[in-house]
Amino acid sequence: MSGGLLVAGTTSDAGKSVLTAGICRWLHRRGVKVAPFKAQNMSNNSAVVVGPDGRGGEIGRAQAMQAAACGVAPDLRFNPVLLKPGSDRSSQVVLLGEAVDTVTAGNYHALRPRLAEAAFAALAELREAYEVVVCEGAGSPAEINLRAGDYVNMGLARHAGLPTIVVGDIDRGGVFASMFGTVALLDPADQALVAGFVINKFRGDLGLLRPGLDMLARVTGRPTYGVLPWHLDLWLDAEDSLAYGRVLGRPAAPHGTEWLDVAVVRLPRISNATDVEALATEPGVRVRLTVEPAELAAADLVVLPGSKSTVTDLAWLRQTGLADAVAAHAAAGKPLLGICGGFQMLGRAVHDEVESRAGSVAGLGLLPVEVTFAARKTVRQTAGTAAADAGVPVRGYEIHHGHVSSADPGLPPLLAYDDGTGEGAVLGAVCGTHWHGAFESDAFRRRFLTDAARLAGRTGFRVAPDTSFAAARERSLDLLGDLVEEHLDTTALWRLVESGPPAGLPFVPPGAPR
């Protein structure tokens, strides 16, 4: 068979990514050869995939997570177009893993036919190679101002004849209005592909919801395939939903007698914020994303994460007083970590004629390094060890234009590549690295947190000896599969996948003008 399904949403962050992953895991458990697909993603959270030519390329982090749900290796075709916002008006365009252009809303339309062609070709190849492809939409299919050139929502469904389900987040309120409105704003040909709905993040008595589900079926002629409950344990591999001040996950009780408090600066153009999720899987480690200088003052460990716009976010740190809070934290001898763009900010200077074209800009001056931006982006998977202990293996990936162009002689690296070359820098309690994903390596994460606790004076903190980030991710994916099996009408979903859109779906007026 060559089945397919499109998971669309009433809004961004309605639950499309997790529902797609859950359906993928459910099908994988049934022995179906399944793959995920998102024609175009807009996100600064990306993963590195090795392409057919042996070079590293980028896809959305969510599609890498969905690949794991399918039990397959990530593939550049799973997310052929990735838009990485560098400002409110421009995005870097990554096509089949490679950065090819930077566009604004005004000139994006000129590139769109090329991107659509690549996306349609990638989907066709996947449908030849897999029994089922579960596609994820973007934003909402009812963004009627964008429908003419759409190739990720109903434009994709129309092109490939995909049955479509619409997921809505009831936690936001207005879920019935948003579901009805989504269908009613589509033209007749698009409506003919929308088979029904899924409600996400429900809390409470399902019986109280039933009258609304019945009325929605009457006014749209479409069923709700199920209601997914809100669940505390679904937080790993978040794409764009990390909120200010949010504590990640559910921190388990300390293994020792003290907690370790980690404050991660929520940069405006934060990139690969998922790096710190691995820290949050450790018992006794409380990880919060924040924009409050006071929370940095109270933290044991401060993290400057990656950024898609290093120079701009560095200026923002200074404008908000966060730069002073970071400096005070370092002056107190407490641990400070910079990852990728955050590492670049910690240096003496950033020389950027590529990303911001700002020229030479003073860094925070907390590490004796200078960073220069190169025109060609470094995108690769990495492997090596902790520089201070070659017996501690580390794996990760790099995505950056900036590279260390000068450093004080003798400055110790944080990590070492397999060939022995050093990477990153350590100066007292301040350290940085360009490697994303390093803390998913369990032994390195434990060593780093142990050192951080010592520097912060948390003598009662102890790492657990057996925490596995890979196992935590698998549990999350299995939980998604469980929720789909327990709470959705999987018989009806399979019928959609196997047979396509139901015939005779009614038109819901007024519909979009043709």
Side-chain angles (χ1 to χ4, degrees):
M1 64 178 295
S2 181
L5 180 71
L6 175 66
V7 178
T10 56
T11 62
S12 293
D13 201 31
K16 296 183 294 293
S17 295
V18 293
L19 179 56
T20 298
I23 293 172
C24 285
R25 178 52 62 108
W26 161 63
L27 290 170
H28 174 59
R29 285 173 170 175
R30 291 185 53 152
V32 177
K33 188 179 181 183
V34 57
F37 180 79
K38 185 159 185 169
Q40 176 186 291
N41 198 350
M42 179 173 278
S43 176
N44 280 328
N45 284 344
S46 60
V48 173
V49 176
V50 177
D53 59 0
R55 293 193 303 179
E58 296 179 75
I59 64 171
R61 178 94 177 187
Q63 281 62 66
M65 176 266 290
Q66 291 160 358
C70 296
V72 299
D75 188 312
L76 295 177
R77 296 173 298 179
F78 293 169
N79 177 208
V81 181
L82 175 63
L83 303 181
K84 305 190 75 175
S87 72
D88 290 341
R89 295 180 177 272
S90 68
S91 293
Q92 184 180 65
V93 179
V94 178
L95 179 60
L96 290 170
E98 185 176 355
V100 297
D101 206 346
T102 297
V103 297
T104 65
N107 62 18
Y108 168 72
H109 70 278
L111 188 61
R112 190 165 51 198
R114 176 187 173 192
L115 303 181
E117 181 181 0
F120 291 156
L123 177 59
E125 290 179 11
L126 292 175
R127 297 189 79 179
E128 287 288 330
Y130 291 87
E131 294 175 299
V132 176
V133 179
V134 183
C135 305
E136 178 188 342
S140 163
E143 291 164 352
I144 53 179
N145 56 313
L146 304 176
R147 177 61 184 90
D150 169 56
Y151 61 91
V152 63
N153 288 306
M154 301 316 297
L156 180 73
R158 287 267 286 273
H159 175 84
L162 298 173
T164 301
I165 57 175
V166 177
V167 58
D169 179 357
I170 198 169
D171 213 33
R172 297 183 177 207
V175 71
F176 293 118
S178 60
M179 286 179 161
F180 177 85
T182 295
V183 178
L185 282 175
L186 303 179
D187 71 21
D190 286 351
Q191 286 195 23
L193 299 173
V194 178
F197 310 100
V198 170
I199 288 180
N200 190 31
K201 296 184 185 176
F202 179 72
R203 304 183 233 199
D205 182 356
L206 190 58
L208 297 177
L209 191 66
R210 181 60 57 190
L213 301 179
D214 294 342
M215 185 177 293
L216 182 66
R218 287 199 300 272
V219 297
T220 66
R222 292 158 173 84
T224 296
Y225 290 107
V227 178
L228 294 173
W230 183 82
H231 205 292
L232 280 168
D233 292 332
L234 293 177
W235 59 277
L236 285 178
D237 291 301
E239 189 166 53
D240 289 308
S241 60
L242 297 175
Y244 293 114
R246 175 176 167 182
V247 174
L248 297 187
R250 284 195 299 168
H255 195 67
T257 59
E258 287 190 284
W259 287 80
L260 190 70
D261 192 66
V262 181
V264 182
V265 178
R266 180 65 159 94
L267 300 167
R269 295 297 169 190
I270 193 169
S271 176
N272 284 61
T274 46
D275 282 328
V276 296
E277 291 181 353
L279 301 179
T281 62
E282 284 290 342
V285 179
R286 179 178 180 272
V287 180
R288 176 186 292 274
L289 277 88
T290 182
V291 293
E292 296 296 333
E295 293 196 355
L296 270 58
D300 300 312
L301 166 65
V302 169
V303 180
L304 286 180
S307 169
K308 184 62 185 68
S309 188
T310 299
V311 169
T312 303
D313 280 355
L314 178 57
W316 175 83
L317 283 178
R318 291 186 165 115
Q319 292 163 3
T320 57
L322 285 162
D324 291 338
V326 168
H329 181 90
K334 294 200 288 186
L336 170 64
L337 167 68
I339 303 174
C340 199
F343 170 37
Q344 296 164 7
M345 294 178 197
L346 293 177
R348 292 170 174 163
V350 177
H351 309 290
D352 181 12
E353 298 291 352
V354 175
E355 191 175 75
S356 68
R357 296 182 173 87
S360 296
V361 175
L364 297 177
L366 299 175
L367 285 174
V369 301
E370 295 190 12
V371 171
T372 300
F373 275 56
R376 185 170 185 83
K377 185 191 283 191
T378 296
V379 181
R380 61 187 176 189
Q381 294 180 342
T382 55
T385 63
D389 187 347
V392 177
V394 188
R395 302 189 71 86
Y397 56 99
E398 294 180 56
I399 308 171
H400 55 91
H401 283 281
H403 62 93
V404 175
S405 52
S406 69
D408 280 7
L411 181 67
L414 180 64
L415 302 170
Y417 293 98
D418 277 338
D419 64 5
T421 305
E423 197 286 326
V426 179
L427 181 64
V430 181
C431 62
T433 176
H434 274 121
W435 287 24
H436 295 290
F439 296 111
E440 295 177 21
S441 298
D442 298 327
F444 176 67
R445 181 181 65 254
R446 293 181 194 127
R447 179 192 176 98
F448 180 87
L449 289 173
T450 298
D451 288 345
R454 174 181 55 80
L455 291 165
R458 294 294 184 187
T459 56
F461 174 80
R462 298 287 184 275
V463 292
D466 55 355
T467 304
S468 167
F469 181 78
R473 175 173 285 153
E474 275 299 299
R475 286 194 298 272
S476 182
L477 293 173
D478 280 335
L479 174 58
L480 285 172
D482 292 343
L483 292 174
V484 166
E485 290 188 28
E486 293 171 18
H487 298 280
L488 299 191
D489 185 346
T490 53
T491 300
L493 286 180
W494 178 251
R495 208 159 40 238
L496 289 180
V497 168
E498 192 174 37
S499 304
L505 289 168
F507 173 70
V508 179
R514 298 191 184 187

